[in-house]
Amino acid sequence: QQPVQSPQAVILREGEDAVINCSSSKALYSVHWYRQKHGEAPVFLMILLKGGEQKGHDKISASFNEKKQQSSLYLTASQLSYSGTYFCGTDPSNQAGTALIFGKGTTLSVSS
Amino acid sequence: DTGVSQDPRHKITKRGQNVTFRCDPISEHNRLYWYRQTLGQGPEFLTYFQNEAQLEKSRLLSDRFSAERPKGSFSTLEIQRTEQGDSAMYLCASSLEVTRTDTQYFGPGTRLTVL
C-alpha cells in the first residue's frame, strides 16, 4: 500500500531540472508533497486532488494522473535550496480516515 | 502564527524506561497526528485525533504506546517499557479540518534513542 517513489536519488547542478514520481497500486483521493531537510520537519509543498489537476509553486509544479494513480513533481531551474528529501504522501480513496501513507522519499542534491 | 512545537527535541533513555513526548499544534487546528520516522524512510502514521477524540490508530501502535489529547489542544505520546526498536524520530502534525483534504503541518520532531 506504500507508494513507490522514483528515482531514489537525484544529483543536479544549479539550473538543471528534475522529475520525481510517486506511484500507488491503490486508487487515490489525493497526493501530498513534502520536502524535508536533514534534521528538520517535513515542509508542505502542495496537494493534488484526483481529477488530474496540475499545480505550480514558483518553479516547482506537480501533476496527478488519476488513470495511472501516479503523481509527478517537477523542479525546474533547480536552486541550492531545493536540496533535501522529497516525500509523497498518499490518501487512498477507500480509506475513511485522513492519515497519509508516505513513500520512502527521493533525495535531491543540488550543487553549484 | 507559530507552528507546531514538540518537546523535548531529543530524548535518550535506557531500555525498559517510560518516556512521554508533548506536541502543541497550531492554534485553532482541530486535527492532530502522530507519525514515526526511521532513517531512510518516510513518516509512518501512528494515530490521529479530531479535537479530543482519538479516531484512528495504526497497527504499529502497540499496547506500550498511548496517546492523549485531553482538551483538544496539546497532545502527549507515551511509550512504556521502551525497546531499542522504538528508536526513531516522532513527528507531530496538525491540520484544520475544512474538507477531507486538509494540509498537515509538521513539527520539528522528538528524536528518541533507546540504549
Side-chain angles (χ1 to χ4, degrees):
Chain A
Q1 202 172 7
Q2 181 180 36
V4 176
Q5 289 187 231
S6 63
Q8 287 186 313
V10 183
I11 299 174
L12 298 175
R13 290 197 179 273
E14 271 186 300
E16 292 181 336
D17 303 339
V19 180
I20 299 171
N21 297 307
C22 173
S23 298
S24 174
S25 59
K26 301 285 186 182
L28 299 177
Y29 187 87
S30 63
V31 180
H32 305 227
W33 284 98
Y34 288 82
R35 176 173 59 212
Q36 185 177 32
K37 294 183 182 286
H38 183 68
E40 299 180 9
V43 173
F44 170 75
L45 294 175
M46 63 190 77
I47 291 176
L48 285 300
L49 299 177
K50 69 177 183 179
E53 68 173 9
Q54 186 157 353
K55 278 193 173 182
H57 174 63
D58 195 10
K59 293 178 181 176
I60 300 175
S61 61
S63 63
F64 179 23
N65 186 320
E66 192 177 349
K67 286 185 179 179
K68 293 184 178 180
Q69 298 305 321
Q70 177 174 302
S71 179
S72 296
L73 186 71
Y74 307 94
L75 301 109
T76 58
S78 59
Q79 305 167 17
L80 293 176
S81 61
Y82 286 4
S83 293
T85 301
Y86 290 78
F87 293 100
C88 65
T90 56
D91 177 10
S93 295
N94 65 349
Q95 181 174 273
T98 63
L100 297 177
I101 304 171
F102 285 90
K104 292 186 176 183
T106 296
T107 301
L108 177 69
S109 300
V110 182
S111 61
S112 56
Chain B
D1 182 24
T2 58
V4 178
S5 61
Q6 294 187 243
D7 184 69
R9 295 291 306 277
H10 303 273
K11 179 71 178 179
I12 300 174
T13 191
K14 292 183 179 179
R15 190 177 53 181
Q17 298 294 305
N18 299 344
V19 293
T20 300
F21 309 141
R22 176 180 170 125
C23 170
D24 287 89
I26 294 171
S27 60
E28 308 299 322
H29 278 194
N30 59 343
R31 285 183 174 166
L32 187 148
Y33 304 78
W34 285 99
Y35 290 85
R36 180 172 68 188
Q37 185 177 28
T38 53
L39 197 61
Q41 301 293 322
E44 293 178 291
F45 169 73
L46 293 178
T47 187
Y48 105 90
F49 294 83
Q50 182 148 318
N51 300 311
E52 66 274 9
Q54 188 174 19
L55 295 188
E56 191 177 348
K57 292 196 291 186
S58 163
R59 291 172 301 173
L60 292 175
L61 212 65
S62 75
D63 292 345
R64 297 184 297 104
F65 288 70
S66 63
E68 293 183 341
R69 194 182 183 198
K71 296 183 180 179
S73 56
F74 73 91
S75 174
T76 58
L77 178 69
E78 181 183 17
I79 308 174
Q80 296 182 327
R81 305 181 303 281
T82 52
E83 302 173 356
Q84 288 186 326
D86 296 332
S87 295
M89 175 76 85
Y90 289 84
L91 293 165
C92 175
S94 71
S95 69
L96 177 64
E97 178 196 9
V98 176
T99 64
R100 171 177 172 161
T101 309
D102 48 343
T103 300
Q104 297 181 27
Y105 295 93
F106 283 85
T110 294
R111 180 167 296 283
L112 173 66
T113 302
V114 182
L115 302 176

